[in-house]
Amino acid sequence: MYVYWNEDYTASEYAFDTTRKSRAIVERLEREPVGDLIIKDPMSNFLVEGTEWESSFDEVAIEHLQKIHTPEYFEAVRTGKPGALARSQGFTWDPGIFTMAVAHTTGLIAATHHALSNKTQAGSLSSGLHHARSNTGCGYCTFNGLAAAVSYAVHSWGLKRILVLDLDAHGGGGTDEIIATHFADQVVHADVITSVFDKYPVRKGNYFKQASIHGYSPQTEMFVQRIFSQETFDLVIYNAGMDPINTGVSLQDIEEREKMVRFYIGDTPAVFALAGGYTWGEYTMDDVVDWHLLTLKTWEEYDKVKK
């Protein structure tokens, strides 16, 4: 299975879990490989579907980020001006912030392309995505790579039904705002939270549940089962947050959740991003890496069994 990452994912000078943990995961994988999982650089050219010309995934990422974000916000992240807007996700601005945010979207779009081209599953070590609005950053999220991947799947592949499944501890209010504005007819947005941050109004086409930390896994499974029982999807984009652990959910519940999500996805083309998972409290970066490796190991093992 391909999982996308390169050095640009950690290009910012600003150091925070969101801007650093992907490198820590790669360093762990270099020491302790996971099955046949391959870390793949998303900075490559590809043949555009239905044409004879090539493009690069970073160019595609910028194209779709500009479709979903306002010119004023996109330029603020790129240039640092105006400063308040450039820092609206909560980071001190430096030129690497733009490079990093584009890279996280580039990897998710490369994974989406691979999954759709090969009718398979892939991942990206992307995070800092789902709170970003069309016109501002929010909650450590700079550009909304989830919505950009949706834009790519709709505009470049003509997909009719996409599921964005968000199991971060917090709501994906930025994703929902962009989907409601641009992709309400093509996208189901499903969100399970354990924190009230970034909740958003229920509308036709989205599903929202606040789960308790006790019994989190069965509550989440009932929710996910309901979504998959109602219709089939052309693509699943899974935002695999580990920060429910930071709110008190047990590691066992998260392990069960990851296996459950992968089971319901089955053979549907699908991609995952990392989402939240923090060293808050007494947790270390090694702990955070362990949590995120649950997703990688679960998807790689499922892929191996399938083959």
Side-chain angles (χ1 to χ4, degrees), residues 294-306:
L294 290 174
T295 305
L296 276 68
K297 290 177 179 178
T298 300
W299 285 50
E300 197 280 333
E301 288 169 3
Y302 192 100
D303 186 58
K304 184 182 296 183
V305 169
K306 184 178 67 173

Side-chain angles (χ1 to χ4, degrees), residues 14-82:
Y14 188 87
F16 180 66
D17 293 337
T18 303
T19 70
R20 294 294 183 261
K21 63 185 177 182
S22 64
R23 182 188 296 277
I25 292 169
V26 170
E27 290 174 351
R28 175 77 69 82
L29 290 171
E30 288 173 348
R31 298 193 305 271
E32 304 170 15
V34 171
D36 296 327
L37 186 148
I38 297 171
I39 299 296
K40 192 166 179 64
D41 189 338
M43 292 292 288
S44 59
N45 291 346
F46 67 99
L47 190 66
V48 177
E49 189 74 12
T51 74
E52 296 181 353
W53 53 277
E54 289 189 341
S55 185
S56 63
F57 288 116
D58 58 324
E59 291 174 347
V60 174
I62 288 173
E63 173 191 350
H64 289 280
L65 286 170
Q66 290 178 316
K67 288 182 184 293
I68 64 169
H69 290 295
T70 63
E72 293 78 12
Y73 179 56
F74 185 87
E75 285 302 301
V77 176
R78 189 179 69 83
T79 65
K81 298 178 181 179

Side-chain angles (χ1 to χ4, degrees), residues 82-96:
L85 192 56
R87 299 188 300 271
S88 55
Q89 84 284 73
F91 299 157
T92 302
W93 185 87
D94 63 76

Side-chain angles (χ1 to χ4, degrees), residues 14-245:
Y14 188 87
F16 180 66
D17 293 337
T18 303
T19 70
R20 294 294 183 261
K21 63 185 177 182
S22 64
R23 182 188 296 277
I25 292 169
V26 170
E27 290 174 351
R28 175 77 69 82
L29 290 171
E30 288 173 348
R31 298 193 305 271
E32 304 170 15
V34 171
D36 296 327
L37 186 148
I38 297 171
I39 299 296
K40 192 166 179 64
D41 189 338
M43 292 292 288
S44 59
N45 291 346
F46 67 99
L47 190 66
V48 177
E49 189 74 12
T51 74
E52 296 181 353
W53 53 277
E54 289 189 341
S55 185
S56 63
F57 288 116
D58 58 324
E59 291 174 347
V60 174
I62 288 173
E63 173 191 350
H64 289 280
L65 286 170
Q66 290 178 316
K67 288 182 184 293
I68 64 169
H69 290 295
T70 63
E72 293 78 12
Y73 179 56
F74 185 87
E75 285 302 301
V77 176
R78 189 179 69 83
T79 65
K81 298 178 181 179
L85 192 56
R87 299 188 300 271
S88 55
Q89 84 284 73
F91 299 157
T92 302
W93 185 87
D94 63 76
I97 293 288
F98 179 78
T99 301
M100 174 198 69
V102 170
H104 283 249
T105 296
T106 299
L108 196 53
I109 286 179
T112 300
H113 179 87
H114 178 73
L116 293 174
S117 297
N118 297 281
K119 295 182 172 57
T120 190
Q121 296 77 38
S124 176
L125 303 185
S126 305
S127 55
L129 309 171
H130 70 154
H131 297 311
R133 269 66 175 166
S134 59
N135 62 349
T136 184
C138 178
Y140 316 130
C141 297
T142 306
F143 288 146
N144 200 310
L146 301 171
V150 166
S151 179
Y152 171 67
V154 170
H155 291 293
S156 297
W157 288 83
L159 298 196
K160 303 299 184 185
R161 295 305 282 167
I162 299 168
L163 171 64
V164 177
L165 177 61
D166 193 338
L167 300 185
D168 189 89
H170 312 99
T175 305
D176 201 70
E177 177 239 327
I178 296 169
I179 287 172
T181 302
H182 298 285
F183 309 110
D185 293 335
Q186 295 95 351
V187 179
V188 171
H189 184 209
D191 216 329
V192 178
I193 66 169
T194 56
S195 165
V196 297
F197 180 74
D198 209 11
K199 291 179 68 173
Y200 49 85
V202 175
R203 58 172 176 80
K204 182 180 180 181
N206 75 13
Y207 298 87
F208 197 96
K209 178 176 180 58
Q210 184 162 354
S212 65
I213 62 173
H214 303 293
Y216 170 85
S217 180
Q219 292 174 66
T220 304
E221 179 164 12
M222 289 178 63
F223 178 84
V224 171
Q225 183 182 43
R226 175 188 171 200
I227 302 300
F228 280 95
S229 69
Q230 291 179 344
E231 61 180 302
T232 58
F233 300 99
D234 303 315
L235 173 70
V236 177
I237 299 173
Y238 175 41
N239 203 36
M242 293 295 138
D243 50 351
I245 297 172

